[in-house]
């Protein structure tokens, strides 16, 4: 009985932990390796989830059993979309803010609000307006850049281009809005329905154990992402460069590593992994504009507890937090105590665990444990050693 | 940690910028800021006409400022937006119909819509804004009990009036609130009785962690004890939480051979709960779930394939057969699209606008005490059947239980023969047993021994 209980806790801890880990993996790279506090990480997950929705609807016409494989297409698409948005974010916003964590924090929080509102209100007319604005503004600049006196012109050109293209785009948007079909929001503020393929909806039984397929899928997916990330960082040429830049940026630059491109690549990969996580969590919960807010705190918690800068730390932390959450929330401890006939002997302890055995109280207890842990080991489970720590 | 990273990146910053002149940097900044501003202008101008502004609903026909202002206060964003936006649409439909028929007291109704943002203090701020700044004559609003409790004091101290359209846990009877959703004896209690009779005696209670599920479960536990059922466990998920693995395993441990799950989860958590319940292969044949917060709209968003065969208890389903309902469903679809569904809170929201209108017309003024007195006894041929406003500020409603079918609508499996009178003070809970509420008699008021 007890053995089965322990196995039960281990499996479910692993399954909760794997969700935490896949959500935190991208952040472990962006925050851990680059030191960027990216509060828009959750929204990158949300974009991954919405990509899954779009892919699902696009492939619905294929019919079963081909449709059942849409999730693999969605995983790749989600990685691509989130990585592209991440790349844009890094190039346009974050790279100007390196070394200024507080500004980064505010800017990425702003980006997260923009992304959330964007999926709520994006419609055909809005997308067209934005495309038109980009075309006029960036295209105009590109044309003007060919002039030899561009450097002198620049200030004036921007002052004219910006309001002009803004006004034209706005006007187009207003005109297009009169057409109801184009003005209809694509997703609206409502949650959307992402249906897991039929083969991921049931469960697999081994004897008296029962494993939900979706959970098994996420565990495998997390393991694959982890292996992929590990292989990329440890074995590939770009991985080597990323690690070099993380350890000593100046020296890497001196040795000819293009740190600028390394930053962009690292951020894009971290964002892409967030997209994959977003696709994975559609199997479990609801998909809406606020999907990310539910995961961002947990993701930071995992990275901080694991020790910033260490992938292995995030893995251990995610599984530990998952197991602890399940152990407390499922009421396993009082159950075992009853089975071992300890509930009377250790009455206060029994009452304590019974009190914390609802899901919301377990969450409180997990946070208390984490805060206590960080008091003892402020740098997390696997503190980073080496030169950068001392400087 | 910050200082360490700060320094580390300071190097990078110096290095990457060293060759660029500071002039250029300023231009870059300008560029970034400029494009951000332009972006936000675009966002504003291109937003389609969503119901976020007063102008979206105000009847243009009135004109000249000769309108009656009412407030609409629901969450248009955040975790509750999934449900509350539909209620706003129902209220706006009713207002539009009334305006098209000539308005109230010869004036057009102008709705001021505010977003409570699923955040309870925000609800209170917006309520104060509507009352003090916009000078509305009444407010239609709130969904969660937490938001209602957050604004209750404001409405009481300012002696204003809130119309609340959602089923709730009862144990409240404010002079300044009219409740057009079900009291527990019009939803939860009949559902528990029906389950005891048809589905089994062992119950597991699951809910979101706030006032409605906690109070509802207190009532259910008392009722089960009185009627020979058993509460095998109860668990609460933080509002918006999606990690339901511990709950599902607890249900399996406590009721290995199946049993009834009574679900008062609210909002997004339902999606996670039903998806993972199905993944654990706990189907409606062994583990029937009775929900009190899942209606047609939620079925659509959760995905009907996860819900087919489970139950919900409401006063209204889209499948109610009556001429009033057929007309309302057709009107709603015409206004908001053929793919839309109607549900209980939307219907209650639709009712309350009409009950308010009738009360104003009977009183001949929008003066709050006069309207309140005129509201008692108002009847309305609602889509769910005839409803009557009682002196205890709740309405008599028909109770129904529906089973979710393949098309995402409900098969009505049980229905009371006629409207059930509301009992705000619960008769199963010891503290409130024997109490009633009557605001038409100043001597009785909020809570008196019947």
């Amino acid at each position: 009985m007890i053995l089965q209980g322990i196995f039960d806790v281990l499996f479910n801890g692993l399954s909760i932990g794997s969700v935490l880990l896949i959500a935190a993996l991208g952040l472990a790279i962006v925050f851990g390796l680059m030191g960027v506090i990216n509060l828009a990480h959750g929204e990158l997950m949300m974009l991954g989830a919405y990509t899954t929705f779009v892919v699902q609807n696009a492939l619905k016409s294929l019919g079963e059993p081909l449709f059942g494989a849409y999730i693999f297409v969605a995983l790749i698409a989600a990685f691509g979309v989130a990585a592209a948005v991440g790349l844009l974010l890094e190039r346009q916003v974050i790279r100007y803010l390196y070394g200024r964590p507080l500004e980064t924090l505010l800017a990425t929080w702003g980006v997260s609000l923009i992304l959330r509102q964007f999926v709520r209100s994006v419609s055909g007319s809005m997308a067209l307006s934005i495309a038109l604005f980009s075309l006029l503004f960036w295209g105009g600049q590109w044309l003007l850049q060919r002039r030899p006196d561009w450097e002198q012109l620049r200030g004036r050109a921007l002052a004219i281009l910006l309001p002009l293209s803004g006004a034209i785009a706005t006007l187009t948007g207003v005109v297009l809005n009169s057409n109801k079909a184009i003005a209809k929001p694509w997703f609206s503020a409502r949650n959307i329905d992402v249906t897991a393929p039929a083969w991921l909806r049931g469960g697999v039984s081994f004897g008296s154990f029962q494993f939900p397929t979706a959970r098994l899928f996420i565990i495998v997916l997390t393991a694959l992402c982890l292996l992929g990330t590990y292989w990329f960082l440890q074995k590939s040429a770009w991985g080597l460069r990323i690690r070099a830049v993380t350890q000593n940026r100046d020296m890497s630059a001196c040795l000819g590593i293009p740190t600028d491109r390394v930053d962009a690549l690292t951020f894009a990969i971290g964002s892409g992994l967030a997209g994959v996580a977003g696709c994975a969590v559609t199997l479990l919960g609801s998909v809406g504009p606020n999907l990310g807010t539910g995961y961002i705190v947990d993701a930071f918690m995992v990275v901080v507890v694991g020790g910033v800068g260490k992938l292995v730390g995030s893995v251990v932390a995610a599984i530990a937090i998952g197991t602890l959450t399940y152990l407390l929330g499922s009421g396993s401890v009082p159950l075992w105590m009853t089975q071992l006939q300890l509930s009377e002997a250790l009455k206060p302890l029994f009452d304590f665990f019974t009190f914390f055995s609802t899901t919301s109280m377990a969450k409180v207890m997990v946070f208390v444990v984490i805060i206590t842990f960080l008091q003892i080991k402020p740098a997390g489970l696997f503190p980073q050693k080496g030169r950068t720590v001392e400087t | 940690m910050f200082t360490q990273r700060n320094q580390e990146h300071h190097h990078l910053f110096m290095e990457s910028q060293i060759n660029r002149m500071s002039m250029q940097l300023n231009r870059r900044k300008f560029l970034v800021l400029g494009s951000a501003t332009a972006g936000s202008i675009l966002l504003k101008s291109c937003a389609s006409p969503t119901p976020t502004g007063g102008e979206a609903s105000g009847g243009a026909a009135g004109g000249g400022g000769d309108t009656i202002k009412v407030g609409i206060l629901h969450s248009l964003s955040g975790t509750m937006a999934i449900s509350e936006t539909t209620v706003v649409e129902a209220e706006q439909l009713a207002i539009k119909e009334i305006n098209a028929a000539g308005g109230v007291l010869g004036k057009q109704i102008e709705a001021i819509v505010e977003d409570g943002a699923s955040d309870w203090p925000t609800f209170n701020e917006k309520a104060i804004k509507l009352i003090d700044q916009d000078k509305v004559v009444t407010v239609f609003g709130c969904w969660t009990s937490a938001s209602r409790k957050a604004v209750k004091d404001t409405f009481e101290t300012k002696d204003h009036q809130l119309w609340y359209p959602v089923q709730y846990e009862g144990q409240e009877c404010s002079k300044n609130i009219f409740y057009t959703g079900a009291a527990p004896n019009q939803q939860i209690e009949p559902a528990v009785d029906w389950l005891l009779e048809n589905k089994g005696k062992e119950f597991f209670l699951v809910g979101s962690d706030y006032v409605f599920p906690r109070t509802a479960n207190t009532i259910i536990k008392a009722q089960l004890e009185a009627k020979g059922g058993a509460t095998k466990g109860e668990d609460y998920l933080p509002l918006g939480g999606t990690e339901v693995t511990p709950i599902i395993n607890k249900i399996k441990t406590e009721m290995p051979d199946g049993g009834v799950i009574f679900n008062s989860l609210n909002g997004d958590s339902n999606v996670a709960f039903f998806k993972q319940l199905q993944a654990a292969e706990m189907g409606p044949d062994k583990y029937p779930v009775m929900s009190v917060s899942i209606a047609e709209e939620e079925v659509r968003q959760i995905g009907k394939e996860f819900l087919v065969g489970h139950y919900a208890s409401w006063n209204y389903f889209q499948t109610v057969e009556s001429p009033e309902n057929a007309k309302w469903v057709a009107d709603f679809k015409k206004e908001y699209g053929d793919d839309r569904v109607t549900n209980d809170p939307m219907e209650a929201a639709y009712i309350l606008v009409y009950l308010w209108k009738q009360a104003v017309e009977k009183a001949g003024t929008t003066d709050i005490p006069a309207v309140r007195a005129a509201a008692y006894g108002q009847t309305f041929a609602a889509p769910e059947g005839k409803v009557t406003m009682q002196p205890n500020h709740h309405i008599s409603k028909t109770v129904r239980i529906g089973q979710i079918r393949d098309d995402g609508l409900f098969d009505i499996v049980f229905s009371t023969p006629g409207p059930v009178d509301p009992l705000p003070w619960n008769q199963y809970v010891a503290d409130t047993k024997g109490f009633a509420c009557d605001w038409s008699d100043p001597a009785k008021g909020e809570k008196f021994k019947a």
Side-chain angles (χ1 to χ4, degrees), chain A residues 15-27:
Chain A
S15 79
I16 297 177
S18 65
V19 176
L20 290 175
L21 182 58
I22 201 161
L25 202 55
L27 202 69

Side-chain angles (χ1 to χ4, degrees), chain A residues 19-345:
Chain A
V19 176
L20 290 175
L21 182 58
I22 201 161
L25 202 55
L27 202 69
I29 292 176
V30 168
F31 179 46
L33 297 184
M34 298 175 73
V36 174
I37 301 179
N38 180 18
L39 286 184
H41 184 77
E43 276 58 44
L44 292 167
M45 281 177 73
M46 181 264 292
L47 287 181
Y50 273 80
T51 310
T52 311
F53 174 72
V54 172
V55 170
Q56 169 203 286
N57 285 357
L59 298 186
K60 218 162 218 169
S61 56
L62 282 181
E64 298 286 351
L66 261 172
F67 173 63
Y70 88 83
I71 193 86
F72 297 108
V73 183
L75 279 172
I76 297 164
F79 183 91
V81 169
V85 174
L87 192 65
L88 195 73
L89 181 63
E90 202 272 342
R91 288 288 89 183
Q92 295 303 323
V93 182
I94 289 171
R95 94 174 138 132
Y96 304 106
L97 299 170
Y98 283 131
R100 292 189 280 170
L102 290 179
E103 283 92 331
T104 316
L105 189 138
L106 284 176
T108 51
W109 186 61
V111 168
S112 81
L113 292 180
I114 291 174
L115 285 177
R116 239 179 283 165
Q117 194 56 43
F118 177 76
V119 297
R120 281 198 199 109
S121 46
V122 64
S123 60
S125 57
M126 186 172 146
L128 280 173
S129 306
I130 291 175
L132 189 65
F133 174 80
S134 314
L135 186 76
L136 289 174
F137 186 66
W138 307 114
Q141 264 191 65
W142 179 76
L143 278 179
L144 284 175
Q145 258 166 10
R146 296 161 145 213
R147 289 176 61 109
D149 54 345
W150 165 243
E151 282 302 319
Q152 285 86 44
L153 265 178
R154 189 174 187 151
R156 260 181 301 154
L158 285 186
I160 298 171
L161 260 181
L162 186 68
L164 196 68
S165 42
I168 294 175
T170 311
L171 206 68
T172 318
V174 171
V175 171
L176 284 174
N177 268 344
S178 59
N179 183 332
K180 258 199 161 166
I182 301 179
K184 193 177 187 296
W186 291 348
F187 307 113
S188 87
R190 263 186 216 90
N191 283 11
I192 49 173
D193 169 24
V194 178
T195 310
W199 60 276
L200 276 174
R201 270 189 252 150
V204 187
S205 306
F206 293 108
S208 62
F209 288 108
Q210 238 241 326
F211 305 112
T213 330
R215 291 284 185 173
L216 288 173
F217 181 77
I218 291 178
I219 293 175
V220 173
L221 181 68
T222 309
L224 287 178
C225 284
L226 196 64
L227 280 177
T229 312
Y230 179 82
W231 175 85
F232 179 77
L233 287 178
Q234 300 296 328
K235 305 285 175 195
S236 75
W238 277 103
L240 185 68
R241 287 176 201 144
I242 290 173
R243 281 183 297 136
V245 172
T246 310
Q247 282 176 11
N248 193 326
R249 180 175 291 275
D250 300 338
M251 188 57 76
S252 311
C254 286
L255 292 174
I257 294 176
T259 54
D260 224 29
R261 274 164 74 190
V262 166
D263 287 335
L265 180 78
T266 317
F267 198 87
I269 289 174
S271 305
L273 285 171
V276 171
C279 180
V281 298
T282 60
L283 300 175
L284 300 175
S286 61
V287 182
N290 296 312
L291 176 126
T293 46
Y295 290 96
I296 186 81
V297 174
D298 288 343
F300 268 104
M301 191 167 77
V302 166
V303 178
V304 170
V305 169
V308 176
K310 284 284 184 142
L311 219 50
V312 61
S314 299
V315 178
V316 176
I319 294 173
I321 292 172
T323 311
L324 191 64
T325 308
Y326 184 77
L327 190 65
L328 291 169
S330 67
S332 299
V333 179
L335 194 71
W336 293 342
M337 288 174 82
T338 319
Q339 280 165 7
L340 293 170
Q341 287 161 352
L342 287 172
S343 59
E344 288 308 311

Side-chain angles (χ1 to χ4, degrees), chain B residues 115-188:
Chain B
D115 180 8
S118 308
D119 178 55
W120 322 142
T122 307
F123 266 93
N124 196 28
E125 278 167 33
K126 299 287 174 138
I128 294 171
K129 186 231 164 209
L130 283 170
I131 296 171
D132 289 346
Q133 200 177 315
D134 299 319
K135 309 253 183 271
V136 298
V137 300
T138 194
V139 177
F140 310 133
C142 300
W143 177 293
T144 61
S145 290
S147 66
R148 190 192 64 252
K149 297 265 187 207
V151 301
K152 185 167 168 261
D153 274 351
T154 302
F155 280 92
E156 284 174 354
T157 49
K158 293 181 188 290
D159 195 24
H160 214 272
Q161 196 71 48
L162 172 73
W163 294 74
Y164 174 70
V166 184
Q167 45 64 245
Y168 80 118
E169 71 282 359
Q171 310 296 62
E172 186 182 300
C173 189
S174 170
K175 183 184 171 189
N176 302 88
I177 304 177
F178 280 114
Y179 310 79
T180 62
N185 76 312
Q186 295 170 310
Q187 182 190 27
I188 295 172

Side-chain angles (χ1 to χ4, degrees), chain B residues 316-327:
Chain B
Y316 168 85
F317 291 109
Q318 189 180 321
T319 41
V320 167
E321 281 174 15
S322 73
E324 289 87 6
N325 184 41
K327 181 180 178 300

